[in-house]
């Protein structure tokens, strides 16, 4: 086990990070309960009190797990790494932006949860029209998105300040990857923000009589698939930045890691049409382009796999191992900081390949 002492948080930064992580796991707990509830309701095993229905619990499960838990956890994780790697603490302005984003997201998230619990928003996490929820459900979603943008601006400002005060130096890898991750999120959420603010809120309040269903679905999937990459990028950060420190080795190539993130950003803008392959109104040409872009993600994925296993082997060779798989013997298997991400990576490879194939062919 690597016993190198890691940098400590500034107490105020730690409070910001902890607030995000705690709310994330609060959402995870509620989402898990809702997932269990939907299973027993669907199977006819249990009739919950208060008339809680299948689609109500399904909506709670999807929104809390796919949107709330992931967004809070990722932003907290990114702020933690940015604080440690880019100056040792967050700038006061960045900290204020972080808290502002947190409180705005929390207000929106609680409104969303209240509408779901009141059974006024049983529209699943995709909130597909012509299903209509309470307008306050959509207002809550808009607040979550806007709050996340404010948090992203804080990360961008910290990175810009570091570059301005360290001219000629290569930026910390974590900070670079955090910027790309939030840039992907902000570009992707433009679609769902337009859908919610321009289409769904006026429609649900009754200010407009109709809605363009095809456009609303396209705007959602402009966001919906890059959302999956937004979930994945913190995992890539862990593999590229944290794992080398845990095993006491060095990243195989810093430039390769940065290129991987740029490629993931480019290939994800936008790649949602493959969720609409069976829907009319979208030309075959654009559907084909989207399928190609979906498969192109395999390039940065293979680059990551190559970089990681090259790092493992070089680390093993430096410790005197021989043979094709000798490096496996010196990996810190008893250290959960290594074991959990490594096993997650092994599961991710076939799962990711299978999911991409299914999306492109469904």
């Amino acid at each position: 086990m690597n016993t190198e002492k890691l940098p400590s948080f500034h107490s105020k930064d730690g409070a910001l990070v902890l607030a995000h992580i705690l709310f994330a796991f609060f959402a995870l707990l509620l989402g898990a309960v809702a997932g269990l509830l939907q299973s027993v309701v669907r199977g006819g095993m249990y009739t919950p009190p208060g008339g809680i229905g299948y689609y109500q619990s399904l909506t709670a499960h999807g929104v809390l797990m796919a949107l709330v838990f992931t967004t809070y956890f990722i932003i907290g994780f990114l702020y933690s790494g940015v604080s440690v790697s880019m100056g040792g603490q967050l700038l006061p302005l960045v900290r204020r932006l972080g808290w502002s984003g947190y409180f705005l997201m929390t207000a929106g998230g609680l409104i969303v949860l209240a509408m779901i619990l009141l059974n006024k928003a049983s529209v699943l996490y995709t909130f597909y029209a012509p299903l209509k929820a309470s307008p306050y459900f959509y207002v809550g979603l808009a607040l979550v998105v806007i709050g996340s943008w404010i948090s992203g601006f804080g990360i961008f400002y910290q990175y810009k300040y570091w570059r301005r005060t360290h001219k000629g130096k290569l930026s910390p890898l974590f900070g670079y990857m955090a910027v790309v991750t939030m840039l992907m999120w902000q570009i992707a959420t433009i679609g769902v923000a337009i859908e919610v603010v321009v289409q769904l809120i006026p429609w649900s309040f009754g200010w407009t009589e109709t809605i363009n269903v095809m456009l609303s679905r396209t705007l959602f999937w402009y966001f919906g698939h890059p959302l999956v990459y937004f979930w994945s990028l913190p995992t890539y950060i862990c593999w590229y930045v944290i794992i080398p420190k845990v095993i006491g080795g060095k990243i195989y190539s810093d430039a390769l890691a940065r290129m991987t993130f740029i490629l993931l950003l480019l290939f994800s803008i936008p790649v949602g049409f493959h969720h609409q392959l069976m829907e009319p109104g979208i030309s075959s040409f654009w559907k084909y382009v989207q399928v190609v872009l979906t498969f192109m993600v395999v390039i940065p994925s293979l680059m990551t796999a190559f970089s990681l296993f090259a790092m493992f082997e070089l680390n093993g060779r430096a410790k005197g191992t021989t043979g094709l798989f000798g490096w496996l013997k010196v990996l810190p298997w008893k250290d959960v900081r290594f074991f959990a991400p490594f096993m997650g990576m092994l599961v991710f490879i076939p799962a990711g390949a299978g999911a991409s194939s299914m999306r492109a062919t469904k």
Side-chain angles (χ1 to χ4, degrees), residues 143-345:
L143 291 177
V144 171
V145 172
I146 295 170
S148 70
W149 286 353
I150 294 173
S151 297
F153 295 149
I155 292 174
F156 297 157
Y157 187 85
Q158 183 85 13
Y159 184 82
K160 180 180 178 181
Y161 176 82
W162 192 97
R163 291 295 302 269
R164 188 170 65 246
T165 56
H166 297 77
K167 292 183 179 180
K169 293 185 178 180
L170 187 65
S171 61
L173 186 57
F174 195 110
Y176 177 89
M177 291 179 167
V179 167
V180 174
T181 301
M182 289 309 298
L183 187 60
M184 175 184 288
W185 170 258
Q186 295 206 1
I187 293 173
T189 48
I190 290 173
V192 75
I194 293 174
E195 178 197 8
V196 169
V197 174
V198 177
Q199 288 191 298
L200 297 179
I201 289 179
W203 176 59
S204 60
F205 270 117
W207 301 336
T208 59
E209 295 183 0
T210 61
I211 187 172
N212 187 323
V213 173
M214 176 59 66
L215 178 60
S216 71
R217 294 190 179 194
T218 301
L219 287 171
F220 177 84
W221 286 116
Y222 174 93
F223 153 78
H225 191 75
L227 171 66
V228 178
Y229 298 155
F230 175 67
W231 299 339
S232 301
L233 287 186
T235 306
Y236 281 65
I237 295 175
C238 178
W239 293 341
Y240 276 117
V241 179
I242 298 176
I243 293 298
K245 293 183 179 295
V246 171
I247 69 172
K250 294 182 179 180
I251 188 173
Y252 175 73
S253 171
D254 184 278
L256 186 67
R258 293 171 192 264
M259 182 182 293
T260 297
F261 268 61
I262 291 298
L263 290 177
L264 284 167
L265 176 64
L266 294 176
F267 293 152
S268 69
I269 306 173
V271 289
F273 285 166
H274 64 252
H275 290 272
Q276 299 175 276
L277 291 181
M278 301 304 294
E279 296 185 15
I282 302 173
S283 71
S284 299
F285 170 77
W286 285 112
K287 291 177 179 179
Y288 174 77
V289 169
Q290 293 295 287
V291 170
V292 172
L293 284 174
T294 300
F295 278 114
M296 289 293 284
V297 177
V298 75
I299 296 175
S301 298
L302 289 176
M303 290 167 60
T304 299
F306 170 79
S307 180
L308 284 173
F309 284 97
M311 175 189 66
F312 293 149
E313 182 169 1
L314 290 174
N315 178 64
R317 300 292 183 186
K319 295 179 179 178
T321 63
T322 58
L324 187 60
F325 298 106
W327 49 271
L328 286 167
K329 301 176 184 177
V330 296
L331 292 176
W333 297 106
K334 295 182 180 180
D335 189 340
V336 70
R337 298 174 303 168
F338 166 79
F339 182 76
F342 184 87
M343 296 307 297
M345 177 181 62

